[in-house]
């Protein structure tokens, strides 16, 4: 049991590392591997896995944002991705999991739609609590995630030896 959590934690760290690299960047567009990772576990394991992996993956993503000086105060954007990924993991695990079919088209569509909605929600939270970020890519990241999600799901399925979850 503990080893399983350590391996999932390592997957979260690797997803965070892949988000920080320019290895998969094409013309300035990069995928969001953390969204795909949370989506994979929410679809395969259900709501609780989606919530917890979304929470810790989101905290790690938020910690990479650093602080921002506004006036004489340094503000940190901790919790925005965490909230978004938790809610995404719960909703996908609760409502999308029963209708999930393991094929490339459904994986692409789930990834595209979930990434689009979570990026819009994150952008809204950034705008609400801080300021608008005009460099925050929404559509291009969603399309990129949809394109690479079947490959990433196949790799994660082999690494974690998870079979398709029954609804």
């Amino acid at each position: 049991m503990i080893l399983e959590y350590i391996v999932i934690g390592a997957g979260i760290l690797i997803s965070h590392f892949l988000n920080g690299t320019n290895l998969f960047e094409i013309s300035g567009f990069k995928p969001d591997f953390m969204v795909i990772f949370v989506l994979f576990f929410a679809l395969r394991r259900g709501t609780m896995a989606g919530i917890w992996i979304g929470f810790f993956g989101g905290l790690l993503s938020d910690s990479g944002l650093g602080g921002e000086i506004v006036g004489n105060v340094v503000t940190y954007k901790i919790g925005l991705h965490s909230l978004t990924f938790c809610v995404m993991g719960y909703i996908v695990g609760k409502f999308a999991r029963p209708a999930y079919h393991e094929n490339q088209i459904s994986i692409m569509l789930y990834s595209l739609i979930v990434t689009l909605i979570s990026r819009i929600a994150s952008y809204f939270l950034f705008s609400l609590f801080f300021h608008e970020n005009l460099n925050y890519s929404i559509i291009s990241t969603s399309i990129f995630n949809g394109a690479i999600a079947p490959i990433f799901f196949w790799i994660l399925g082999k690494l974690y030896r998870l079979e398709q979850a029954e609804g």
Side-chain angles (χ1 to χ4, degrees):
M1 188 66 125
I2 297 292
L3 182 61
E4 180 183 1
Y5 294 143
I6 291 171
V7 172
I8 290 172
I12 291 171
L13 288 173
I14 290 170
S15 295
H16 179 68
F17 173 74
L18 288 174
N19 279 347
T21 65
N22 292 332
L23 184 64
F24 296 97
E25 183 175 350
I26 297 176
S27 300
F29 303 118
K30 292 173 29 173
D32 192 347
F33 290 102
M34 195 64 72
V35 171
I36 298 174
F37 193 78
V38 173
L39 177 65
F40 175 79
F41 277 97
L43 287 172
R44 294 284 180 99
R45 288 270 177 97
T47 57
M48 289 308 292
I51 289 170
W52 285 109
I53 293 171
F55 176 74
F56 289 115
L59 277 181
L60 193 58
S61 295
D62 288 335
S63 70
L65 295 175
E68 183 176 310
I69 299 174
V70 179
N72 291 331
V73 177
V74 178
T75 58
Y76 294 94
K77 301 171 181 108
I78 301 295
L80 297 179
H81 281 107
S82 185
L83 174 65
T84 305
F85 291 171
C86 270
V87 172
M88 174 193 69
Y90 175 77
I91 290 172
V92 167
K94 184 74 171 173
F95 299 109
R97 186 174 181 215
Y100 173 64
H101 300 289
E102 184 73 25
N103 61 41
Q104 292 181 357
I105 293 174
S106 67
I107 292 171
M108 289 173 68
L109 287 175
Y110 274 113
S111 180
L112 177 86
I113 292 168
V114 167
T115 304
L116 183 67
I117 292 171
S118 70
R119 300 288 284 191
I120 289 171
S122 294
Y123 181 79
F124 175 72
L125 288 173
F126 278 118
S127 299
L128 183 66
F129 292 111
F130 299 102
H131 57 81
E132 288 188 34
N133 184 0
L134 300 178
N135 294 329
Y136 195 70
S137 62
I138 296 173
I139 295 174
S140 61
T141 300
S142 301
I143 292 170
F144 207 154
N145 270 10
I148 66 167
I151 297 167
F152 203 66
F153 266 55
W154 181 78
I155 293 170
L156 288 174
K158 295 296 180 190
L159 287 175
Y160 288 102
R161 296 184 186 148
L162 290 177
E163 297 299 322
Q164 177 184 353
E166 298 297 324

